[in-house]
Amino acid sequence: METVLVREYRADLLECVHSGHIAIVGENGNLKGYAGDPEFVSFTRSAAKPLQAIPGVRGGIVEHYGFTPAEVALMTASHRGESYHVAALESISSKIGIDEQQMICATSYPLDYSSRENAIRGAGKRKFYHNCAGKHMGILSYSKLKGLPLEEYSQPEQTVQREIIDTIAYMAGVAPDSIGLGTDGCGLPVFALPLTALATAYLKLANPDLIADEATRKAVTTITTAMNAYPEMVSGSGRLDSILLEDDNIIAKGGFKGVYCFGLRRERLGIAFKILDGSEEEWGLIVQGIFNQIGYSQKNTMEKLRNAFSGVIYNDGGTRVGHADTEFKLNFIK
């Protein structure tokens, strides 16, 4: 059964209730805390991107094409189409010799407001503006390195896609055939996993020493080091992913329709949650609620979160009109 995560009030009257589920796992993979149903099965959406990058990095794309850490970080991104995102995508494209038109994702306008205005006034929509373009270019680069037909790179049965599924299963501690498959908004396969399995994968992303396979461990270290070094590449200016990744104790990535995952290095915890109505506005509040209840000690990170996600609701003119409060209480398992 789901539990209430956040309540929103306007003029002190209850306006919205956001329910969902939270799972927290420890370094032995056991459940350490939860709210709602920790075994709830959720599509990963973009929270899978750091995991989807593992096969290519493990297979040698960084060395073969000379990708920079910033470009590696972009392969895990839901980018906002800011100028530095597009410049990195154009660099990747040049290095691998693959044009943006070879990606199956749709043309788009940037998600970043000012970048979107510039695009509307300028060249219009581009595939490089799609927030999943980095993931696509990473998979295309690995497919090209392996000599596979590029027009098949999005098919679930393609060699690289099968390697991605097997890698996600390995990181999450589940059988590959237990993973549900769908099609993501960008056209690539998307994966359905219990929240405990997603949390386990993020535990290992944050703590690669828990990964037995050496090649996978090295690839994860390369990917997560890049994410922490270039947090703005993973999301964009002022976004939750970027704020959390500025803390070198955290690996974090959100996905569409309310799924969010992060791993903590010192605490050796993996955490995943799902907002059932698919909202993302409450992510920052829920992360703060989790941090408060587990006693997270990084004061600088907590201050950044409070400043960015205060819970105060403003109207379009900047007038305070309401507030949002977290309500869940984590159940801890000794």
Side-chain angles (χ1 to χ4, degrees):
M1 179 69 70
E2 70 266 18
T3 191
V4 174
L5 300 177
V6 175
R7 293 185 190 271
E8 293 183 13
Y9 299 84
R10 186 172 298 265
D12 294 323
L13 293 175
L14 180 64
E15 184 172 39
C16 297
V17 178
H18 303 280
S19 298
H21 310 282
I22 302 171
I24 304 175
V25 300
E27 66 176 307
N28 59 4
N30 291 343
L31 188 67
K32 299 287 288 184
Y34 68 94
D37 178 8
E39 297 296 332
F40 180 83
V41 175
S42 173
F43 276 110
T44 55
R45 305 304 295 261
S46 289
K49 285 175 177 173
L51 302 169
Q52 289 169 290
I54 294 172
V57 173
R58 184 176 57 202
I61 61 171
V62 176
E63 298 80 8
H64 184 80
Y65 296 109
F67 293 139
T68 67
E71 290 164 354
V72 172
L74 188 61
M75 293 176 189
T76 74
S78 296
H79 76 81
R80 310 294 292 177
E82 295 176 78
S83 60
Y84 54 87
H85 295 133
V86 178
L89 285 164
E90 290 174 340
S91 174
I92 292 171
S93 174
S94 176
K95 288 176 179 180
I96 63 180
I98 293 176
D99 185 81
E100 67 181 291
Q101 297 307 319
Q102 292 175 262
M103 299 189 300
I104 66 162
C105 57
T107 58
S108 177
Y109 284 119
L111 295 174
D112 175 67
Y113 183 78
S114 61
S115 301
R116 183 184 183 92
E117 283 197 328
N118 290 335
I120 291 172
R121 294 191 181 101
K125 293 182 176 181
R126 290 184 64 179
K127 291 195 172 190
F128 275 166
Y129 292 151
H130 194 287
N131 76 97
C132 295
K135 172 179 67 174
H136 284 253
M137 294 304 283
I139 294 173
L140 278 166
S141 70
Y142 189 35
S143 297
K144 183 172 182 178
L145 180 61
K146 293 177 74 70
L148 299 172
L150 298 185
E151 64 273 12
E152 298 176 6
Y153 84 97
S154 65
Q155 301 305 309
E157 64 275 8
Q158 191 246 26
T159 301
V160 170
Q161 293 294 346
R162 289 307 313 172
E163 191 174 341
I164 287 171
I165 292 171
D166 289 343
T167 299
I168 291 174
Y170 175 72
M171 292 288 288
V174 299
D177 60 4
S178 73
I179 296 176
L181 287 179
T183 303
D184 215 334
C186 66
L188 293 182
V190 65
F191 318 99
L193 296 165
L195 289 177
T196 50
L198 268 175
T200 297
Y202 268 77
L203 167 71
K204 294 176 183 176
L205 286 173
N207 299 277
D209 61 289
L210 297 174
I211 301 170
D213 180 71
E214 182 180 3
T216 302
R217 184 168 63 248
K218 288 181 177 179
V220 166
T221 300
T222 296
I223 292 164
T224 55
T225 298
M227 292 172 71
N228 284 128
Y230 295 92
E232 74 283 353
M233 280 292 182
V234 180
S235 182
S237 304
R239 302 287 295 176
L240 178 60
D241 291 344
S242 300
I243 292 171
L244 292 177
L245 287 167
E246 288 172 357
D247 183 338
D248 62 9
N249 188 49
I250 303 174
I251 288 299
K253 184 70 186 70
F256 197 43
K257 296 299 181 182
V259 62
Y260 203 88
C261 306
F262 57 103
L264 304 177
R265 294 190 168 99
R266 284 188 296 276
E267 295 79 4
R268 298 177 79 77
L269 295 174
I271 301 164
F273 63 83
K274 167 74 174 180
I275 303 173
L276 289 176
D277 62 15
S279 180
E280 300 176 14
E281 294 177 356
E282 298 71 34
W283 280 350
L285 290 176
I286 294 169
V287 170
Q288 289 180 74
I290 293 170
F291 278 163
N292 286 332
Q293 293 186 52
I294 67 173
Y296 192 61
S297 61
Q298 290 291 91
K299 293 181 180 179
N300 186 44
T301 300
M302 295 296 290
E303 183 177 357
K304 288 179 181 178
L305 289 171
R306 285 192 295 270
N307 289 338
F309 309 102
S310 66
V312 177
I313 298 172
Y314 298 93
N315 70 6
D316 295 341
T319 301
R320 179 173 178 159
V321 295
H323 66 280
D325 299 321
T326 54
E327 182 163 310
F328 64 90
K329 183 178 181 181
L330 293 171
N331 300 288
F332 292 105
I333 300 172
K334 295 182 180 180

